[in-house]
């Protein structure tokens, strides 16, 4: 997971503020995934993106959350009007290609810990 | 919808003992991962299992996969304190255009001296 870069590593926001988490995938990877880990729980899939496209956002909350992966620059997970329940670790992962035949492996970043006070 | 169940959720072991963590999943998949997570840290990849009957070993940990039974096991041999962590299995899910991992609930392992 050394190549997937996330920042910030720790972020504190007051209720109602916005949080922006950034993820730069490994070199050569064009597929990005975001996962959320609530305290004392496992990781839950949020969204899967390719460059400029959202492929699967079935795990994203319907409101306040959005994600993008522009042609240039990192992927951004944006949380508007944060609430205490958004406090969690947010992990980004990347892969070279998807699919069963590709033999790809998903690599995780170090995570961004969001605390809402 | 793919579901992944792990058990036990919590495991307290004495050093030197053996134990097994189980991971069951509900639909067909061709790839299963085991990860280790220390408190406040990211995921450390332990094993990737790609085929039925696959067995991989690293130190005191051994993982196996039975795709017919939809079951993977993580066996711990002669546990030591350094193995204390939370262990997750994750199953690859492909459907339509999507490609994601579905994680189990995790097993918190505490190895007592």
């Amino acid at each position: 997971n050394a190549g997937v870069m996330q920042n910030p590593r720790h972020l504190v926001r007051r209720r109602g503020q916005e949080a922006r988490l950034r993820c730069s995938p490994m070199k050569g990877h064009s597929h990005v995934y975001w996962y959320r880990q609530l305290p004392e729980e496992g990781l839950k899939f949020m969204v899967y993106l390719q460059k400029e496209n959202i492929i699967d956002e079935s795990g994203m909350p319907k409101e306040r959350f959005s994600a993008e992966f522009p042609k240039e620059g990192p992927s951004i997970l944006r949380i508007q009007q944060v609430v205490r329940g958004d406090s969690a670790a947010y992990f980004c992962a990347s892969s070279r290609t998807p699919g069963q035949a590709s033999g790809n492996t998903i690599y995780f970043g170090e995570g961004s810990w969001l605390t809402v006070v | 919808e793919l579901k992944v169940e792990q058990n036990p959720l919590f495991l307290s072991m004495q050093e030197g003992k053996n134990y097994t963590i189980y991971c069951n999943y509900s639909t067909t998949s061709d790839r299963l991962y085991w990860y280790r997570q220390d408190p406040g840290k990211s995921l450390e990849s332990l094993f990737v299992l790609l085929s039925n009957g696959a067995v991989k070993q690293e130190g005191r940990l051994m993982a196996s996969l039975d795709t017919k039974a939809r079951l993977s096991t993580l066996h711990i041999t002669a546990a030591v304190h350094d193995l204390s962590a939370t262990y997750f299995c994750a199953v690859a899910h492909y459907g339509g255009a999507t490609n994601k991992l579905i994680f189990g609930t995790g097993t918190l392992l505490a190895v007592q001296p």
Side-chain angles (χ1 to χ4, degrees):
Chain A
N1 63 3
V4 181
M5 305 301 293
Q6 288 188 248
N7 69 84
R9 293 293 314 280
H10 297 275
L11 181 63
V12 179
R13 283 288 179 265
R14 296 184 187 279
R15 282 178 293 173
Q17 290 185 319
E18 178 179 288
R20 284 190 182 222
L21 309 177
R22 288 175 290 278
C23 170
S24 296
M26 283 183 70
K27 187 176 181 180
H29 287 193
S30 59
H31 302 266
V32 166
Y33 317 81
W34 285 94
Y35 291 80
R36 177 166 68 173
Q37 185 177 31
L38 295 169
E40 311 298 329
E41 294 189 12
L43 277 75
K44 296 288 194 295
F45 169 80
M46 299 182 75
V47 63
Y48 161 41
L49 311 103
Q50 295 177 24
K51 284 286 187 181
E52 300 185 278
N53 287 302
I54 296 174
I55 306 302
D56 179 356
E57 56 182 347
S58 58
M60 288 279 272
K62 299 298 181 192
E63 298 178 346
R64 303 186 297 107
F65 284 72
S66 62
E68 62 177 11
F69 188 18
K71 186 176 180 181
E72 301 292 336
S75 175
I76 306 287
L77 180 66
R78 182 182 178 204
I79 312 171
Q80 295 178 287
Q81 300 176 318
V82 295
V83 300
R84 287 210 172 125
D86 296 333
S87 295
Y90 292 83
F91 290 96
C92 172
S94 73
S95 67
R96 186 179 301 277
T97 56
Q100 297 172 317
S102 68
N104 85 90
T105 299
I106 296 177
Y107 297 87
F108 281 84
E110 293 291 306
S112 291
W113 269 258
L114 171 66
T115 302
V116 180
V117 297
Chain B
E1 182 183 334
L2 176 59
K3 293 187 188 301
V4 182
E5 294 183 348
Q6 249 179 275
N7 69 84
L9 297 182
F10 177 71
L11 180 55
S12 180
M13 300 176 63
Q14 283 189 314
E15 280 191 328
K17 298 291 187 184
N18 304 334
Y19 211 84
T20 301
I21 300 171
Y22 298 88
C23 176
N24 291 89
Y25 54 99
S26 60
T27 61
T28 301
S29 176
D30 73 340
R31 190 166 305 152
L32 188 141
Y33 297 78
W34 282 98
Y35 292 94
R36 169 183 171 145
Q37 187 180 38
D38 291 295
K41 302 292 185 182
S42 185
L43 301 174
E44 176 188 351
S45 180
L46 297 174
F47 302 106
V48 180
L49 302 169
L50 300 178
S51 60
N52 188 42
V55 177
K56 290 192 175 180
Q57 182 163 6
E58 182 71 34
R60 301 174 188 274
L61 301 178
M62 183 173 71
S64 67
L65 178 62
D66 181 343
T67 58
K68 293 180 181 177
R70 297 176 187 162
L71 170 68
S72 179
T73 61
L74 181 66
H75 187 73
I76 303 152
T77 302
V80 293
H81 181 69
D82 286 351
L83 290 179
S84 297
T86 299
Y87 292 85
F88 293 98
C89 66
V91 177
H93 175 61
Y94 310 102
T98 196
N99 171 47
K100 57 193 176 188
L101 295 182
I102 307 299
F103 281 80
T105 49
T107 296
L108 175 58
L109 174 64
V111 181
Q112 312 295 337

